[in-house]
């Protein structure tokens, strides 16, 4: 698969090696974009040495009590991060965070720019009470 940006290599997430012992590539580009979205949401700013402001740190927010206010904060933070870091890769249609009992759910609807494929991703994490 050719990479859309010269010098950029699409790597499978989670990182692993293929049967030849090389860095595995994603099965297809649409899956790669979904993987990028997951990485962005759950990477904390400061976690990546060469990109210290990458990420939106949802895992850090999960240590607060689950509430509508937490869901609104997650929604705002995640939407800003997706638009900043993945705006050239996907068009964000909707990003919704909900807090129900001890589960925080983030649902994302988007269109992959390269393939024009509409997609949805759902991420759920249990929040400590």
């Amino acid at each position: 698969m050719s990479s859309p940006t010269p010098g950029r290599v699409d790597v499978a997430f989670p990182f692993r090696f293929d049967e030849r012992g090389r860095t595995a590539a994603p099965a297809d580009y649409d899956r790669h974009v979904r993987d990028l979205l997951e990485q962005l949401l759950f990477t904390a700013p400061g976690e990546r040495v060469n990109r210290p402001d990458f990420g939106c740190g949802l895992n850090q927010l999960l240590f607060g009590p689950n509430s509508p206010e937490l869901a609104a904060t997650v929604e705002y933070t995640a939407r800003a991060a997706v638009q900043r870091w993945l705006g050239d890769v996907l068009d964000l249609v909707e990003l919704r965070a909900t807090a129900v009992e001890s589960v925080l759910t983030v649902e994302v609807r988007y269109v992959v720019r390269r393939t024009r494929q509409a997609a949805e991703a759902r991420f759920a994490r249990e929040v400590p009470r």
Side-chain angles (χ1 to χ4, degrees), residues 21-115:
R22 297 180 181 168
T23 302
D28 63 29
Y29 186 73
D30 292 336
R31 176 61 192 198
H32 175 66
V33 171
R34 190 242 179 248
D35 291 347
L36 289 174
L37 183 59
E38 184 175 359
Q39 290 175 56
L40 175 65
L41 292 176
F42 296 104
T43 297
E47 190 174 332
R48 291 198 174 175
V49 175
N50 293 327
R51 283 196 173 166
D53 50 347
F54 177 83
C56 72
L58 291 189
N59 284 337
Q60 294 172 332
L61 294 173
L62 295 180
F63 290 105
N66 201 11
S67 65
E69 292 80 11
L70 174 65
T73 300
V74 165
E75 212 169 276
Y76 177 80
T77 303
R79 185 176 289 117
V82 169
Q83 290 172 340
R84 176 178 181 194
W85 291 104
L86 298 178
D88 61 334
V89 175
L90 61 84
D91 292 321
L92 188 61
V93 174
E94 181 181 19
L95 190 147
R96 184 178 39 199
T98 55
V100 177
E101 295 185 12
S102 66
V103 178
L104 177 69
T105 304
V106 178
E107 295 175 276
V108 186
R109 290 187 324 127
Y110 58 96
V111 175
V112 177
R113 286 188 169 205
R114 185 200 291 182
T115 63

